Amino acid sequence: MCRRVSVGLWLSLLGVGGVAIGVVSDVQWAAGLALAIGAAACAPAAAWAGRRCGHWCLWSAVCALALAYGAHARDLALAPKPAWAAGQNNPVFIEGRLRRDASRGESGVRLELDEVRVLGGRAAVVADSRLTVLAVVGGELSPGLQAAWTAGRRVTMPAQLRIPAVVRNPGSPSVRWQHLTRPFDVVGTVKSGLLVTAERGAMWQEAAASVRRYVRAVSSRWLAPLGAQSSAVMTAVLIGDRAGLDSAVMRRLQVAGTFHVIAISGGNVAILTALCLFLFRTLIRHDQVPVLATLMIVVAYGLIVGRDASVMRAVVAATLYLSLRLLGIVPHPLNVLALTALICVGIDPFVVLDVGAWLSFGATFGLIAVLPRLIDDGGARVRRNLWRTLWRAARGLFLATVAAEIAILPVVASVFMRVGVAGLVLNFVAIPAMALIQVAGLVLCGLSPLGQWWDGPAALVAMVAHVATSALLGSAGLVDIAPWLVRRVPSPPLGWTTMYYAAVMFALTWRGRRIGRRGAVVAAALSACAIVAAPWIALRRPPAGWVRLTVIDVGQGDSIAVQLPGGHDLLVDAGGSAGTFDVGGRVVTPALWASGIRQLDWLAVTHGDVDHAGGALRVVEDLRPGEIWEGVPVPGDPLLSGLRRAAHASGIAWRRLQSGDQLELGGVLIDVLHPPPPDWERPKVRNDDSVVLRLRYGVVELLLTGDAGPEFESAFTPGALPPPIRILKAGHHGSRTSSSEQFLNGYGPAVALVSAGQGNLFGHPSPIVIDRLLQRGVDVFRTDRDGAIVIETDGREARVRTATGRSLTVRIGHASAATPSRVSPAATRPPFPP
């Protein structure tokens, strides 16, 4: 048995590891396949020389074959997309199969498609079936039609398509990583639901959709009158449909560390499995029949719930365990975990990049391997009573949470940039509440068809579920009372993560003297402290006496970080978007950390448009600026009003800027050139009210114009003695309403910076503006093509570099581009530190 366990673990580790290496590396799949064939061919001769040598050849063949499989999947994912996907032939008619039921979002109804075909002319042009499309259907009638768009059905629609944009910033994942991990290859919009036609799917798919509709109807009938979020939580727990959950509720649960209870995972499937086994064993006096019945229910549940990766992992693990039990084998949990990982990777090699998989397998490994080390009863038999049983249960739950947190701490810090201990307390509420919600939901769904006599008990069961939901959601308020329980941290370098896991594994596997294990525990603790404290941030600041300006790639928006001599930091705008994506927390804050900024001195909001101020609230929460600057106040604007309330609640000074204000620090002069004092109260935000800042350091000047247009440019004068090196941040993302001929002639920039989103709907930057700049010999850098743009100056020259590797050095009287004739520096080292 031990031999089999060892073989199974080796097979799983080599298989998963080989696929991971193939996906993330540059190794060609053909080389991996050749290596596998060579190792397998050498195995007989190696076995003749020694049994162990033969085994090593076989294991090498398995690993190489897995590597080839992962590399092949990687090449397919990174292959150039067809012309229709790049938006060159839009709009187009597409046909595809729905991966899951339609869900309602902020911009419309979301349809997730695979097996996509493009319909054109008299014949269907078949696109790559590996491509996936997210289509957002607009129009007022779409929500009423979404019931017909269920998983498995084929739909046809005219859609305006584009390839999703990526961000290129210091601190952001690489472009390659973003391409490999994004959930959709193509996104598109459909004007109206009336343009979407649907064909019925297979019989089992229609039956599964009927069950899901039934669950939603039961939840809506019994829980919606008690609370909309109670109904949404029950639906999420039972079938994984989180469309009805409020985004603020989900974020509170994520911050508190209890979001996992409303995402179907191993815990939900484990509860279902245990409940079915208990009921069937109560009714059927047989060893194998209850296991077989439970296995059938678990498989059916997986088919009903859908294709979420977390569901697939949980169902595969439960199916594997129950199948082995049917064969009379009681498997070791670690073997089940390893074989589950191997099966999941075999089905989808990109599981190795799935953060959810990291968390699921990591937490489960913590429960299997770490928890037994924490629980040490010494083998003593103790007298059982109610209080001792409750104490042991509470202690076990606490230690289980600790074990899971130990296993996933670096992953949470790397991906979510957050660590905390709130979950150690909140799981005492969240896990029992989730179990009550799931059991109550199953009871409601199972007994609702019995008729009106069931209404009284059903109301009571629904009340239990509502109380449990209220407790679950209310428990997240602990973070509001004690925010220090959760800390935002930058993603740790790979070295610290490797050191942490190496120390943990050494502590788990060491069988020698106790001092070795204690040393490993101390090393793991020190690594964890380093991950939380992030001492490496200070090493990323600009050299002494230099000013660094970073135009952060926030898509269609503005965000500019300015690092001054003496350690002072200013952020001008924080990007933002109209959707639910957290630009401030997911893009701006990591870029500031990667630049060496731990806390801001000032945050300047040029004006209240969402693409400039939408991410400001999260940046304020993460980096706690000493002051927030605004220009012309707009009392009725909800975005600025919410930011002002948050500033007052946190004790952050709120300051109004107007033309003529100045600040001088470390030889850098910051002038406010716009706006002038307003002579009437603004009912809404105006681009021409943008704050315009001018930074002068030696012979270098940087002009940051926000979205200012003709009102500023027509009144602008460069001054009597303008510095010889002038760098302009083009107004309004390069719109044709800014950067006029007169303004450019008067200012005469050497370099122009444009912050705009890839393939944005506004057509920014305008080709007319780009032509104006190029005709004057101005070097243009654009975030949509170059990614983040970094300018460093010591007051005598300005050095420009971008995330894509472009560079330029501007000195008095000339500009010299650093463009090697053979090998670009960007090809040998990354332009930004990882």
Side-chain angles (χ1 to χ4, degrees), residues 161-234:
L161 302 176
R162 62 181 178 86
I163 296 177
V166 296
V167 295
R168 292 158 293 186
N169 288 308
S172 294
S174 67
V175 172
R176 178 177 179 174
W177 184 275
Q178 294 179 64
H179 280 303
L180 290 174
T181 56
R182 62 188 178 190
F184 309 104
D185 298 302
V186 183
V187 296
T189 56
V190 182
K191 292 184 177 180
S192 172
L194 297 176
L195 302 175
V196 180
T197 59
E199 300 178 1
R200 293 178 64 85
M203 182 178 64
W204 68 268
Q205 293 171 331
E206 294 297 318
S210 299
V211 174
R212 292 192 296 272
R213 280 194 293 267
Y214 171 73
V215 171
R216 295 188 187 99
V218 170
S219 179
S220 178
R221 177 187 176 189
W222 294 109
L223 271 298
L226 301 176
Q229 289 307 298
S230 296
S231 175
V233 169
M234 174 174 283

Side-chain angles (χ1 to χ4, degrees), residues 42 60 95 225 227 290 340 343 445 533 583 733 764 771 777:
C42 293
S60 299
E95 179 190 66
T340 300
I343 293 171
C445 293
V583 174
H733 319 290
H764 294 158
D771 287 342

